[in-house]
Amino acid sequence: MRISYNKLWKMLIDRKMNKSDLREKTKMGSNTMAKLGRDETISMDVMLRICEVLNCDVGDIMEVLPDDTTDKNKD
């Protein structure tokens, strides 16, 4: 399984916010922002701060997708 934050980036565009705005409002470190950009996992604490700032639910900013490399012949 893999994580995608595409919903977050679309929401920022819709709200006319950039990544720096989000980083400042959530007091997020630059390393955490870089992880978001690479679709890596981040702490639930940061996820909740993002949701609080954007007034949304976790499912509104991220999704869990099946791994593209999964062998479809396995049981």
Side-chain angles (χ1 to χ4, degrees):
M1 303 296 278
R2 62 187 176 91
I3 294 174
S4 172
Y5 297 107
N6 287 338
K7 290 181 173 185
L8 171 61
W9 310 132
K10 289 176 185 173
M11 184 179 286
L12 290 180
I13 290 167
D14 291 343
R15 296 181 184 205
K16 295 180 178 23
M17 286 180 70
N18 61 38
K19 291 179 181 181
S20 296
D21 296 334
L22 179 66
R23 196 167 83 76
E24 289 172 14
K25 289 181 180 185
T26 59
K27 297 178 176 49
M28 179 189 324
S30 57
N31 288 339
T32 303
M33 182 57 76
K35 284 184 173 188
L36 285 169
R38 294 188 303 262
D39 288 333
E40 295 179 3
T41 59
I42 61 169
S43 73
M44 185 55 73
D45 178 57
V46 174
M47 290 297 295
L48 294 175
R49 290 195 320 248
I50 293 170
C51 289
E52 185 176 341
V53 165
L54 297 177
N55 193 29
C56 66
D57 188 55
V58 173
D60 297 330
I61 60 173
M62 69 166 283
E63 59 185 334
V64 179
L65 303 170
D67 227 351
D68 292 336
T69 60
T70 304
D71 185 359
K72 296 179 194 253
N73 294 328
K74 289 187 176 182
D75 292 326

